[in-house]
Amino acid sequence: MQEQIEQILIDRNQIAKRVRELADQIAADYRHLSDEASEDLPLVLIAIMTGSVIFLADLVRCLPMMMRMKLISVSSYPGTALSSQGVTITDELPDDLAGKHVLIVDDILDSGKTLMAIRSRVQQSSASSVRTCVLLRKDRPSARATPSEYVGFDIPDQFVVGYGLDYDDLYRNLPDVVTLRDEVIA
Ligand code: IMP
Ligand code: MG
């Protein structure tokens, strides 16, 4: 796997530091939420599979408040596609989001179609608030135009893998965010 890496864009130490910073910011912003375990627990994290799993796992362990977590699947980059092929939400959203504060977690903001689709679905469910948190945001107009309250890193408009992000479902287990050699993704 290592010989297929072109360049390490963000290494594991930078990621770990930034994830802690994001968590501190999120914890401060949501500090008004009550922290009792109850049926109406106000904070719900909705994480978009599969790319966000590693980010989610690291992020939530830095967050001190009570929360529920829902994992949903969305397909936009099937197989070896390198650009969004249109968003299909393959799981239903939870049906009890009314009155909840919802934080959507994803790996990367690219065309913005995924986050726009989920955000508007959550808004329709009468949630009290909806925010989004992404580890990466690509430097392209559609990504910048998509609202996201928490952004880990702005990166060039390049295809990246690692730390959960895949190419054809591979490379998710790389601990750093990297680019691949041209011949691998050709
Ligand atoms: P969007 O809907 O175009 O913003 O795309 C979001 C989804 O596409 C992300 O959640 C990723 O799963 C996938 N994606 C976008 N860019 C990349 C990339 O550079 N590498 C791997 N997956 C990507
Ligand atoms: Mg994804």
Side-chain angles (χ1 to χ4, degrees):
M1 202 161 48
Q2 302 305 320
E3 58 284 0
Q4 297 168 24
I5 296 174
E6 181 188 64
Q7 186 202 344
I8 294 182
L9 213 58
I10 310 170
D11 73 34
R12 61 201 80 181
N13 299 317
Q14 293 170 282
I15 297 171
K17 177 167 177 281
R18 187 68 187 124
V19 169
R20 278 193 299 272
E21 288 171 359
L22 283 174
D24 288 348
Q25 199 186 339
I26 292 167
D29 289 352
Y30 288 92
R31 69 187 172 281
H32 61 282
L33 299 186
S34 80
D35 209 3
E36 303 291 316
S38 77
E39 273 296 292
D40 312 315
L41 200 59
L43 183 59
V44 180
L45 255 69
I46 296 185
I48 301 171
M49 293 296 98
T50 302
S52 71
V53 274
I54 296 180
F55 178 40
L56 176 76
D58 284 346
L59 183 73
V60 292
R61 286 179 293 169
C62 297
L63 289 172
M65 67 287 242
M66 300 282 259
M67 65 177 71
R68 290 208 158 84
M69 268 178 253
K70 307 283 178 192
L71 312 186
I72 63 165
S73 291
V74 173
S75 168
S76 58
Y77 277 48
T80 57
L82 291 173
S83 64
S84 177
Q85 306 294 301
V87 179
T88 313
I89 302 175
T90 45
D91 282 322
E92 281 309 303
L93 287 180
D95 56 12
D96 56 352
L97 296 179
K100 307 282 166 53
H101 295 282
V102 177
L103 180 61
I104 302 165
V105 178
D106 203 2
D107 51 359
I108 188 165
L109 185 46
D110 181 20
S111 74
K113 288 178 185 160
T114 306
L115 280 186
M116 288 302 255
I118 308 277
R119 190 190 265 265
S120 75
R121 289 277 292 276
V122 173
Q123 267 155 355
Q124 285 159 20
S125 68
S126 309
S128 285
S129 71
V130 189
R131 294 183 177 195
T132 63
C133 174
V134 292
L135 180 72
L136 307 172
R137 176 171 60 190
K138 284 194 192 173
D139 183 13
R140 50 181 290 198
S142 54
R144 293 193 169 278
T146 306
S148 186
E149 287 75 8
Y150 306 101
V151 176
F153 298 91
D154 281 302
I155 61 165
D157 188 6
Q158 283 177 304
F159 194 81
V160 294
V161 298
Y163 196 71
L165 290 110
D166 74 304
Y167 174 65
D168 199 15
D169 221 12
L170 299 169
Y171 308 103
R172 296 190 196 276
N173 53 319
L174 288 171
D176 310 302
V177 172
V178 308
T179 56
L180 293 172
R181 290 182 183 283
D182 280 347
E183 55 272 26
V184 180
I185 52 177

